[in-house]
Each structure stands twice: as C-alpha cells, then as structure tokens.
Amino acid sequence: MSFESLLTAFQHILWDYLLVYLLCGIGIFYTLLLKGIQIRKFKTAFRALTSKFSLKGKSADKSGMSSFQAVSTAIAGQVGTGNLAGPATAIMAGGPGAIFWMWVSSFFGMATIYAEAILAQKYKTKDRTGQAVGGPAYYIEKGLGIKWLAVLFAILIILALGLIGNMVQSNSIASAFEKSLSIPTWVTGLFVAVLVAFLVIGGIKNIASFTEKIVPSMAFFYLIGAIIVLAMNYQFILPAFKAIFIAAFNPEAVLGGGAGIAIQQAMRLGIARGLFSNEAGMGSTPHAHAVAKVKTPEEQGYIAMMGVFVVGVIVTLTGLVIITSGLRGWEASGSANPSFLSFFDGQGTGITITQYAYEMIFGSVGGIFIAFSLLFFAFSTIIGWYYYAETNVRYLFKHKSAVPLFQILVVIGVFGASFIHVDIVWQLADLFNGLMVLPNITALLLLAPIVFMETMKCDWRVVPILGRLPIFRTKPVESEEG
C-alpha cells in the first residue's frame, strides 16, 4: 500500500467515524450547556467587536495585546486557504450540500470557540522571559493536571500548523500565482518565505500590528469583490441556496444519480473544510485569545465567537460565487449533463476552481484578484499559525535558542512547500489537524464546569445531569489566578 493510500485510509477513519461526531458533539454540548450563547449573546458579541475596532491600537508587549489585536490574530489564522480553496474542494467532492454542513460546523463552532477562549483566559500565564502565553497546552496542564496530554497537544500543533499547515498556505499561494501570472512556484515561495522571516523575527509586537491592519482591510476588499460577482449572477442566487439545502440531504436530486455523492460525503467534507476554516475545537485560536487584555474571560469569549461568524460569512460568499458561476456557465453552455459541476471539469481543484469562478465575471483580472486575495489571506494565516506554534515551542522548550531554530524551520518549510503536490499537502493538513483536535476536545469536555461557572456565575452542580456525571463529581483544578 502506498503512503498516499495509507493516508487516505487513516483519514477516512479519523474524519468519517470520529471527528465529525466529536466536533459537532462538543458544539452541541456547549450550545445546550450555555443556553444557546451564540444566539443569546450575538448582539453583545457584535457590539463588543465593533466597539474595539482599530487599525492602530496600542502596541503589543510582553503582557499581551488588545482584544481587537487578539481577534485579528485569531481571524488571521482562520481566514486563509480554507476560505478560498476549501469551499471549492468541498463542493466539487461533496456537492453544494457541503456548504450547508460548513454552516452547521460554524454555528456550533461559535459555542465551542467561546469555551476555548474562556479557558485560555482563565489559565493564561507567563513564561520564563515574562511573555504572556496561554492556550490548550496550558489549560490541559493547569486545569486537568495531565502533563503528558498537554505535551502531546503542543507537539501536534507545532506539526499541524507551524509546519504542515503553513506549507498548505504557501503551496496554495504559489499555485495561484503560477496559474494567473505564470510566475514559477519557487519564486513565489521565496518571496513569501522572506516576508515571513521579516515578520516573525519581530515577535508579538510585529505580529499584532500586522494582523490588526491587514485582516480588516483584506476581508473588506474580498467581500466587495464577492458581492460584485453575486450581483452579476443575481438570477442564480436563489437556485444556489436551493441547491445547497436540497443537496445537503439528497445530493442526487441536484447532481443526478450518476454523481456518486452521498450525504455522509457532503457532511464529512463540509465539516472537515469548516474546521479548517473556522478552527473551532481545533485548539489554535485560544493562543491569541489568551493574551488579550480584557477585564473578564467572557468578554474575550464573545469576541472569539464573532471570529467564527466573520469566517462563516466569507466561506458562504465564496461558496455562493462558485455555485452561481457554475449554474451560469452550465446554463450558457446548454450541456445535457445533469450536474452543473461538470462546467468546472478540467479546471483543476481547490483554488483554481475559485479563480475560474471569478474569471467568468472579471476575465483574467478575476484570477489575479483571487491570487492576490489568497496572498493576503494565506500569508496572514501563516503569521497567525506561526504565533500559535511558537507559543507551544515556548511551552515545550526552555532553551532560548528553541524559538530562533523553529523560525528557521518554518521559513524553510514555507519555501519548500511550493514544490509539493497540493493533494498530499491537503491530506497531511487534514490528518494533523484531526489529531490535534483530540487532546483539545478532551480538555473542553472535562473543563466544562469551569466554562459554565465563568459564564453563568453560579455553581455547575445546578446543571441537570452534568452535576451527576462521575467525571464532574470532583471540582476541577482552579487556575493560579482563580
């Protein structure tokens, strides 16, 4: 059996039979436990996000960063290749119904990421240099007292995001510029690697300053481009929504009996791409939310929820652009093929499909627009993911040379990724992202009483059933601050 076949088989077990249920399950659990906090506190969360908006906040330092800088860093990690290439990958392999399951992932993910932010704030600390740090490794060790599980998580996130994940981002940037501007992939890879090196050497101050400026700006310009495309495809918007809802539960009704797409496939791909987009439950964004300077943990929890919402809007617009463009092209071609996805045949996979959808409206400029959008989206993700991984390098290694050595590895990986086949990179990313979820989900479940008490301001034992479960009978270990 080849390495790629083995990888595919393992992913099938991990995603189809384990993570789909775990991720949705923990989201449903927190939605019920916190009484639908993503609905109940949506207005409060939106107001908190907009009130803290700033393109030039106070410089971050060892004590942390502003709340808006923290959410910008978190969104930088969330809004990347997964938002531009992810919907295309999901739609082409799982049909338009995959977008519905991405919505499901985002809705329940808002409750999950709220819990992650609460725990990150509750158990944050300072490392030996005085740098504010926090994240799953810290709340696993301090909250659960399980050192080996914290170490396992730290190793997995360094591999999943700092190395493999950032290779996905770099690979996608290089592929996009090769298609649109015929720039050799190694040239783009070298350019991105140099920029990454310049920013990461500056530490948290440079990272926070970069993300608070670039994230709102790039999101705004991308949304304008998507809205223009949808305005041009306005007659296909309602059919697109219809296709999404019908295909989520009956793919053959939209794509024809020969499509071979099942509900489970649409669900798996939608949730997998949804996780890769919003990162709820993955354990990545808590590293940014942990160092936010806020008065109470729940304040940052609300901000964290809005990060998932913003990502969901971008994913939705990307998906609608692809589906409406496919419907437009299919109708214009007069094809007898019952599946509008046939219009994209021969256009490649992932980001190239998204580029093609924009090119239908803007011509060659559309492909260039996506290439530059991806440059900013994916580059900001590289910076955000680097910061998450660096936090865990600090957790694992006390020697002062550990971070500089890791920076060198990241830069080399970002450059080298431009030469790797995209399918293998995506598969490895899915694999390590999936493995990373397991320790974090364990902590989210066992530390649920802490999240409940911080949010509801009452003892967790009042919760029916929860207070009677054996795993919750002993009061969890409090943080050093609590």
Side-chain angles (χ1 to χ4, degrees), residues 166-348:
N166 279 338
M167 289 171 68
V168 168
Q169 307 300 325
S170 178
N171 179 274
S172 296
I173 294 172
S175 297
F177 275 88
E178 182 183 39
K179 179 182 182 297
S180 296
L181 299 173
S182 300
I183 298 176
T185 55
W186 73 267
V187 174
T188 304
L190 180 62
F191 174 72
V192 172
V194 170
L195 287 180
V196 169
F198 175 76
L199 272 176
V200 302
I201 290 174
I204 190 174
K205 181 178 180 180
N206 278 10
I207 291 172
S209 177
F210 170 79
T211 57
E212 75 173 342
K213 294 177 179 63
I214 198 66
V215 168
S217 302
M218 70 182 187
F220 173 77
F221 285 110
Y222 179 74
L223 292 178
I224 293 297
I227 289 171
I228 292 174
V229 172
L230 292 177
M232 299 295 290
N233 291 339
Y234 72 94
Q235 68 269 41
F236 300 105
I237 293 177
L238 288 180
F241 275 107
K242 182 179 179 181
I244 289 171
F245 283 105
I246 293 176
F249 302 99
N250 187 11
E252 292 183 358
V254 174
L255 303 174
I261 295 175
I263 294 176
Q264 185 189 39
Q265 185 177 354
M267 183 186 296
R268 181 186 73 83
L269 287 162
I271 292 178
R273 295 271 73 83
L275 169 64
F276 199 78
S277 297
N278 63 53
E279 301 185 23
M282 186 188 296
S284 53
T285 59
H287 298 91
H289 296 303
V291 297
K293 299 175 183 177
V294 289
K295 295 179 181 178
T296 61
E298 58 264 36
E299 182 180 341
Q300 195 60 26
Y302 298 147
I303 294 287
M305 288 198 304
M306 293 312 299
V308 173
F309 178 77
V310 169
V311 170
V313 170
I314 294 174
V315 165
T316 298
L317 289 176
T318 302
L320 288 175
V321 164
I322 293 168
I323 296 171
T324 57
S325 295
L327 289 170
R328 179 191 183 110
W330 180 50
E331 182 182 82
S333 67
S335 173
N337 191 312
S339 173
F340 75 88
L341 296 182
S342 62
F343 182 71
F344 294 110
D345 287 347
Q347 299 304 319

Side-chain angles (χ1 to χ4, degrees), residues 19-29 31 38 96-113 244-245 248-249 263 266-275 278 280 308-309 312-313 315-316:
L19 293 184
V20 166
Y21 302 104
L22 283 178
L23 289 168
C24 285
I26 198 70
I28 293 170
F29 171 71
T31 297
Q38 64 269 62
I99 298 298
F100 175 84
W101 296 110
M102 293 181 82
W103 292 341
V104 171
S105 173
S106 295
F107 175 76
F108 290 118
M110 290 176 74
T112 303
I113 212 163
I244 289 171
F245 283 105
F249 302 99
I263 294 176
M267 183 186 296
R268 181 186 73 83
L269 287 162
I271 292 178
R273 295 271 73 83
L275 169 64
N278 63 53
V308 173
F309 178 77
V313 170
V315 165
T316 298

Side-chain angles (χ1 to χ4, degrees), residues 2-12 424 427-428 431:
S2 66
F3 173 72
E4 193 167 354
S5 298
L6 187 63
L7 197 61
T8 302
F10 188 77
Q11 280 188 189
H12 177 66
I424 294 178
Q427 284 188 323
L428 286 172
L431 173 64

Side-chain angles (χ1 to χ4, degrees), residues 272-471:
R273 295 271 73 83
L275 169 64
F276 199 78
S277 297
N278 63 53
E279 301 185 23
M282 186 188 296
S284 53
T285 59
H287 298 91
H289 296 303
V291 297
K293 299 175 183 177
V294 289
K295 295 179 181 178
T296 61
E298 58 264 36
E299 182 180 341
Q300 195 60 26
Y302 298 147
I303 294 287
M305 288 198 304
M306 293 312 299
V308 173
F309 178 77
V310 169
V311 170
V313 170
I314 294 174
V315 165
T316 298
L317 289 176
T318 302
L320 288 175
V321 164
I322 293 168
I323 296 171
T324 57
S325 295
L327 289 170
R328 179 191 183 110
W330 180 50
E331 182 182 82
S333 67
S335 173
N337 191 312
S339 173
F340 75 88
L341 296 182
S342 62
F343 182 71
F344 294 110
D345 287 347
Q347 299 304 319
T349 59
I351 194 64
T352 57
I353 295 294
T354 305
Q355 285 181 295
Y356 187 57
Y358 275 83
E359 287 172 353
M360 287 185 61
I361 300 300
F362 298 122
S364 60
V365 175
I368 296 173
F369 172 76
I370 289 299
F372 277 95
S373 294
L374 184 66
L375 172 63
F376 287 106
F377 276 44
F379 182 76
S380 66
T381 295
I382 290 173
I383 300 304
W385 283 0
Y386 163 79
Y387 174 70
Y388 304 157
E390 183 201 286
T391 300
N392 287 274
V393 169
R394 291 177 179 274
Y395 174 79
L396 289 176
F397 306 102
K398 308 304 179 185
H399 198 278
K400 62 181 181 181
S401 64
V403 171
L405 286 174
F406 178 66
Q407 290 172 343
I408 293 172
L409 284 176
V410 170
V411 172
I412 292 174
V414 165
F415 173 66
S418 59
F419 304 99
I420 298 176
H421 194 270
V422 66
D423 289 342
I424 294 178
V425 175
W426 273 103
Q427 284 188 323
L428 286 172
D430 274 351
L431 173 64
F432 282 99
N433 285 337
L435 292 174
M436 195 175 82
V437 170
L438 301 178
N440 188 54
I441 290 291
T442 301
L444 287 175
L445 178 61
L446 297 179
L447 292 174
I450 294 293
V451 178
F452 179 82
M453 288 189 291
E454 285 291 332
T455 304
M456 302 301 188
K457 308 303 180 187
C458 64
D459 194 281
W460 56 269
R461 293 177 181 84
V462 303
V463 184
I465 301 178
L466 180 63
R468 298 178 183 177
L469 292 177
I471 59 173

